[in-house]
């Protein structure tokens, strides 16, 4: 149900102070996301939560703010301090342990007695099953090496920093020597603290984005595709998403006439989503995004190894690269209650040559201290673009 006008409640952004620069592309994008969430919900907007003592200690008839955190909120203590009690209190997610918000939950351990953090639930890998690629999570260098060698018997192995975003912090290895060299460059302490993901590498995979957003009672789900681009240092990174967004939950998404691969991606995301909620009680999610890859294993050596695989690469329970498109779609659905589907896109363009399409909403344009010249925008596409 579309939100009513309730300016008494304020949307506030939370967490961008850790970047240290209010004009960074992350901070400015988060602020624009907060303003757009406020418009959709019918709330006011009051800037950064950290800068408001009144917001941090609501009393009497003062409503606690609706937060748009930069990162997934971790633990009951932090959630209570931020007055986050349900999905109606934030755009993002709350998880019980820090590792739950990273890539490490996607895979099981090398052995039942392998090192793992407090709160680790081995049932997740069983429940997710074929929704993820073959792989392991390791919390020691020794386990990481053993996992890599076991996977390498079937082809190339991708090593992933569990906290990396946009495809950064990853490398593929195809030999024992390459594996040892990669692990030698890593910190044993970091692996013990945050873990390391090793999984089957895919050859030129197609990547789908499957997700769900809920703002002030308006629920929508989507499936779309991602684009890669080259950043200002020549690295291939996330360049944007194009999403087919429908009113309602994942079941409404499955009812759309998507192709076989997209439908497989949606089912994989649903299995992953349900496994997380079942294995880690207390999660609160109002924004979910799952990157799902479809491709042939790279360097496959065994019989049948060349069979195409589908698997969730990672989850995001916080604002992300696709959020601009998500919010553009939500605004369109709110504006027309009879509308059931909309196509929206977001783009990230590095360098000075960025042409915005008509009607695009700008999230950032300028020179960021860390990534250089960057333009980020979102826009609605024609309803006749077809389906992934």
């Amino acid at each position: 149900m579309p939100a009513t006008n309730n300016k008494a409640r304020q949307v506030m952004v939370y967490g961008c102070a850790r970047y240290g620069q209010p004009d960074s592309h992350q901070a400015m994008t988060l602020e624009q996301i907060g303003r757009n969430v406020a418009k959709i919900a019918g709330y006011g907007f009051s800037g950064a939560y950290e800068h408001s003592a009144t917001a941090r200690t609501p009393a009497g008839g003062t409503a606690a703010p609706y937060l748009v955190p930069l990162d997934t909120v971790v633990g009951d203590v932090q959630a209570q301090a931020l007055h986050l009690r349900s999905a109606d209190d934030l755009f993002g997610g709350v998880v019980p342990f820090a590792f739950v918000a990273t890539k490490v939950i996607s895979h099981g351990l090398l052995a039942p007695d392998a090192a793992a953090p407090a709160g680790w639930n081995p049932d997740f890998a069983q429940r997710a099953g074929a929704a993820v690629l073959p792989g392991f999570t390791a919390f020691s260098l020794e386990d990481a090496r053993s996992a890599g060698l076991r996977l390498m018997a079937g082809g190339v192995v991708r090593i992933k920093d569990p906290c990396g975003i946009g495809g950064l912090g990853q490398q593929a290895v195809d030999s024992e020597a390459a594996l040892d060299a990669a692990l030698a460059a890593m910190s044993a302490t970091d692996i013990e603290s945050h873990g390391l993901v090793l999984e089957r590498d895919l050859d030129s995979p197609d990547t789908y984005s499957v997700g769900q957003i809920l703002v002030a009672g308006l629920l929508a789900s989507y499936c779309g595709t991602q684009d890669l681009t080259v950043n200002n240092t020549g690295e291939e990174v996330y360049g944007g998403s194009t999403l087919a967004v429908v009113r309602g939950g994942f079941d409404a998404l499955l009812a759309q006439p998507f192709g076989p691969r997209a439908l497989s991606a949606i089912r994989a995301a649903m299995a992953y989503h349900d496994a997380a909620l079942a294995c880690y009680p207390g999660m609160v999610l109002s924004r979910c995004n799952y990157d799902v890859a479809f491709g042939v294993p790279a360097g496959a050596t065994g019989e049948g190894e060349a069979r195409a695989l589908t698997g969730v690469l990672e989850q995001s329970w916080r604002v992300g690269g696709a959020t601009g498109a998500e919010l553009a779609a939500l605004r369109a659905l709110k504006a027309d209650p009879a509308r059931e589907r909309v196509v929206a896109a977001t783009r990230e363009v590095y360098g000075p040559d960025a042409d915005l399409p008509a009607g695009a909403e700008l999230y950032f344009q300028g020179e960021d201290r860390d990534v250089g010249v960057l333009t980020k925008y979102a826009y609605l596409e024609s309803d006749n673009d077809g389906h992934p």
Side-chain angles (χ1 to χ4, degrees):
M1 178 182 300
T4 56
N5 188 12
N6 183 11
K7 296 294 184 181
R9 193 170 196 190
Q10 299 294 303
V11 171
M12 306 190 82
V13 296
Y14 174 75
C16 57
R18 71 178 173 87
Y19 285 107
Q21 300 293 341
D23 60 347
S24 68
H25 78 91
Q26 297 98 333
M28 294 184 70
T29 299
L30 189 67
E31 179 177 337
Q32 187 61 28
I33 288 171
R35 292 182 182 279
N36 283 335
V37 168
K39 292 176 184 177
I40 293 168
Y43 299 154
F45 179 76
S46 293
Y49 177 87
E50 295 90 332
H51 298 161
S52 172
T54 302
R56 295 197 296 272
T57 57
T62 303
Y66 178 104
L67 289 191
V68 181
L70 179 67
D71 297 308
T72 309
V73 176
V74 177
D76 290 340
V77 173
Q78 187 183 18
Q80 290 174 11
L82 297 173
H83 312 286
L84 305 177
R85 300 176 180 85
S86 74
D88 294 327
D89 295 325
L90 83 163
F91 185 78
V94 177
V95 298
F97 306 100
F99 69 82
V100 178
T102 75
K103 299 176 180 70
V104 299
I105 70 164
S106 297
H107 299 291
L109 305 174
L110 190 66
D113 60 348
W120 180 265
N121 191 335
D123 290 341
F124 179 87
Q126 295 295 324
R127 286 179 176 269
V132 298
L133 301 175
F136 296 101
T137 288
F139 290 92
S140 73
L141 275 171
E142 181 181 359
D143 286 349
R145 186 176 191 277
S146 297
L149 290 175
R150 185 180 299 186
L151 285 169
M152 202 171 292
V156 179
V157 176
R158 179 164 291 273
I159 303 175
K160 301 164 72 170
D161 173 356
C163 302
I165 60 174
L168 300 177
Q170 301 185 20
Q171 57 183 306
V173 295
D174 59 0
S175 69
E176 183 174 354
L179 173 65
D180 286 340
L183 295 178
M186 297 180 183
S187 163
T189 301
D190 286 347
I191 293 176
E192 291 170 6
S193 299
H194 305 295
L196 190 68
V197 173
L198 301 97
E199 69 183 15
R200 177 72 66 240
D201 188 40
L202 300 182
D203 188 16
S204 301
D206 293 326
T207 302
Y208 294 86
S209 291
V210 180
Q212 192 170 98
I213 54 267
L214 173 68
V215 174
L218 180 58
L219 176 67
S221 302
Y222 62 80
C223 180
T225 54
Q226 295 185 9
D227 290 322
L228 294 175
T229 190
V230 176
N231 67 14
N232 291 312
T233 60
E235 297 174 289
E236 196 172 59
V237 296
Y238 173 79
S241 299
T242 301
L243 311 177
V245 186
V246 300
R247 189 185 300 272
F250 286 128
D251 288 343
L253 196 61
L254 279 177
Q256 294 291 307
F258 290 119
R261 289 189 178 185
L263 290 173
S264 293
I266 295 167
R267 294 189 184 100
M270 292 173 68
Y272 193 106
H273 180 85
D274 291 344
L277 292 175
C279 292
Y280 295 101
M283 291 179 64
V284 174
L285 304 177
S286 62
R287 193 270 176 178
C288 314
N289 177 277
Y290 304 96
D291 289 347
V292 188
F294 184 96
V296 174
T301 58
E303 184 178 350
E305 288 287 346
R307 178 179 58 86
L309 299 174
T310 301
V312 176
L313 299 179
E314 63 180 306
Q315 79 286 10
S316 174
W317 297 318
R318 55 172 175 77
V319 296
T323 296
E326 296 164 0
L327 297 180
L330 274 187
R331 284 200 307 273
L333 293 174
K334 180 184 177 182
D336 183 358
R339 192 171 190 173
E340 296 296 327
R341 178 183 179 276
V342 62
V343 177
T346 183
R347 294 289 180 264
E348 300 188 8
V349 182
Y350 293 85
D353 300 322
D355 294 326
L356 275 65
E361 179 173 16
L362 189 65
Y363 276 80
F364 178 84
Q365 188 168 48
E367 184 164 0
D368 181 89
R369 289 174 174 82
D370 295 323
V371 303
V373 179
L374 173 65
T375 300
K376 299 165 70 172
Y377 61 91
Y379 61 99
L380 292 179
E381 290 200 346
S382 166
D383 285 339
N384 299 318
D385 283 81
H387 295 267

